Amino acid sequence: MKGHLQEAVFSLLLALVAAFLCVSAMDIPGGAHGSIAPATFPSVITFIIALLAILNVIACILKGKKANNLPAISRQGFLNLALFIVLSTAYVWVISMAGFLVSTFLYLLLMPPFICLISTDRKGHVAKPAFWARVTVFALLGTGIIYGVFVELLKVRF
């Protein structure tokens, strides 16, 4: 399959999954009068993802008409994508067992090294102590900021 067609198919699948998740997120109960409902953020984000994926499908079709030389996704690239989806799904699953703070911290701690390991030009970064220091600070700050915004500012309870 040609690269632009392959990207269009993946984007279409992403749009369908995001649309399904958007509709599913609307069923999340809660939210008092005058406050943001827990379903608001997931609904808006999945709607935006679906919209951007559809725009990418259109762009891929237009690119395909102009140039037919886009490379197809390699087997390794497909495996990396599948592993990323598995890890992200595991994060959502672990939230129910370990809680938001622990699972989010671990996810933010493990994803940058994963991305470096699958990237050909960044594999050497993982062995450096400075890399791990930055990733740990990023994971701590990211977890704290996300928690602060949703729990303290928006009053969303997990």
Side-chain angles (χ1 to χ4, degrees):
M1 188 181 300
K2 300 281 187 203
H4 67 279
L5 185 57
Q6 200 172 30
E7 184 178 348
V9 169
F10 280 131
S11 294
L12 187 60
L13 289 173
L14 176 63
L16 291 173
V17 169
F20 171 75
L21 291 174
C22 183
V23 171
S24 298
M26 291 179 191
D27 292 336
I28 297 173
H33 181 68
S35 68
I36 296 175
T40 303
F41 183 71
S43 298
V44 169
I45 291 297
T46 53
F47 176 77
I48 291 171
I49 291 171
L51 181 66
L52 291 174
I54 290 170
L55 290 174
N56 194 44
V57 169
I58 294 167
C60 288
I61 292 170
L62 294 176
K63 268 194 285 188
K65 289 181 180 178
K66 292 180 183 176
N68 208 6
N69 59 355
L70 293 174
I73 296 175
S74 68
R75 179 178 294 249
Q76 185 63 42
F78 181 77
L79 291 174
N80 291 341
L81 176 65
L83 184 58
F84 174 76
I85 291 170
V86 166
L87 290 174
S88 296
T89 304
Y91 161 67
V92 173
W93 182 67
V94 169
I95 284 177
S96 65
M97 294 184 310
F100 173 79
L101 292 175
V102 172
S103 58
T104 301
F105 174 73
L106 290 174
Y107 183 77
L108 292 177
L109 186 69
L110 296 176
M111 286 314 290
F114 169 73
I115 291 169
C116 285
L117 289 174
I118 65 173
S119 176
T120 56
D121 60 334
R122 296 178 187 237
K123 286 184 181 180
H125 292 280
V126 179
K128 298 177 183 175
F131 171 80
W132 286 103
R134 283 193 308 270
V135 168
T136 303
V137 169
F138 166 76
L140 285 169
L141 286 175
T143 303
I145 289 170
I146 293 168
Y147 181 83
V149 167
F150 283 97
V151 173
E152 301 303 327
L153 185 65
L154 298 176
K155 306 292 185 211
V156 175
R157 298 291 170 218
F158 296 105

